[in-house]
Amino acid sequence: MAPVKVFGPAKSTAVARVLVCLEEVGAEYEQVGVHIPAGEQKSPAHLARNPFGQVPAFQDGDLILFDLLKESNLSQSAMVDVWLEVESQTFDTAMSAITFQCLTIPTFMGGIADDKIVEENLGKLKKALEVYEARSCRFRYLAGDFISLADLSHFPMAHYLLATPHASVLDAYPHVKSWINDLMKRPAVKRVRELMEA
């Protein structure tokens, strides 16, 4: 079987989530760059892969990543789904605003972060981290005592949080900080972080 092709830059959190899952299950893949600033994601070739003109896009055979979803166990699978939803609705929304202000605007746009937006979203992040801390006191990983897509999905934004001046927000949540540190040590995460930083 030919390796799956993942189209998009590793710096994209959406692409990094896919890459870390592929790394975690030991799947062969090829990352194919898409030059976002040039609008390559809107090209006819890319739109054929992703009609929304977004990344990632895939060219795949019969690869299945169900091991990370815990599809074989209904209660475990439900917990994975719950924490993916929590990540999407709380963690990711606050983190996206913070990283956009602290990293994207100064680095790629030559602007200055809006401190009001950062503070507002740090407040939202802290509320979410309180819930994560309570969960992390009881379980090693979000969905239970097993690594899953729910944990891996958090790593790209956590990676970028650690690169902002606000990484110290984690100091008030020692179990969350430990969980993130453990995630960052995983071989699959290390490989994708290298791609993100390249």
Side-chain angles (χ1 to χ4, degrees):
M1 178 174 81
V4 63
K5 290 185 178 181
V6 181
F7 294 84
K11 289 184 184 306
S12 160
T13 56
V15 173
R17 285 183 185 104
V18 172
L19 296 179
V20 77
C21 290
L22 293 168
E23 287 282 353
E24 192 71 30
V25 298
E28 281 190 57
Y29 69 90
E30 175 187 351
Q31 184 200 351
V32 181
V34 175
H35 194 248
I36 303 291
E40 201 173 303
Q41 75 278 18
K42 303 295 183 187
S43 70
H46 190 77
L47 288 171
R49 292 185 288 267
N50 184 327
F52 293 102
Q54 298 173 338
V55 293
F58 307 93
Q59 193 171 4
D60 189 8
D62 55 359
L63 179 67
I64 300 172
L65 297 176
F66 289 129
D67 285 348
L68 294 172
L69 296 173
K70 295 295 179 185
E71 291 290 321
S72 61
N73 181 309
L74 187 58
S75 63
Q76 290 180 344
S77 178
M79 289 309 299
V80 171
D81 288 346
V82 164
W83 285 98
L84 282 170
E85 188 68 19
V86 170
E87 185 253 346
S88 170
Q89 299 300 317
T90 59
F91 185 84
D92 197 55
T93 53
M95 283 301 311
S96 292
I98 294 166
T99 57
F100 184 78
Q101 291 296 322
C102 295
L103 300 177
T104 304
I105 289 177
T107 306
F108 300 106
M109 302 170 79
I112 299 171
D114 184 326
D115 291 337
K116 183 178 178 186
I117 293 173
V118 172
E119 288 305 317
E120 177 184 320
N121 283 283
L122 279 170
K124 291 177 184 178
L125 180 62
K126 288 174 184 177
K127 286 180 183 176
L129 291 176
E130 289 172 13
V131 174
Y132 281 67
E133 182 70 9
R135 181 70 178 174
S136 297
C137 287
R138 295 176 52 218
F139 298 98
R140 182 173 178 191
Y141 298 106
L142 291 175
D145 291 321
F146 55 92
I147 188 79
S148 75
L149 182 59
D151 304 287
L152 297 174
S153 185
H154 283 75
F155 121 75
M157 278 299 184
H159 168 78
Y160 286 131
L161 172 65
L162 297 174
T164 73
H166 304 288
S168 62
V169 72
L170 296 174
D171 293 344
Y173 310 96
H175 290 90
V176 173
K177 187 173 183 176
S178 176
W179 165 68
I180 288 175
N181 287 339
D182 286 349
L183 275 179
M184 295 304 167
K185 292 176 187 172
R186 295 186 73 78
V189 170
K190 285 181 178 178
R191 286 190 292 274
V192 175
R193 287 181 78 185
E194 288 172 5
L195 293 173
M196 292 171 81
E197 293 167 5

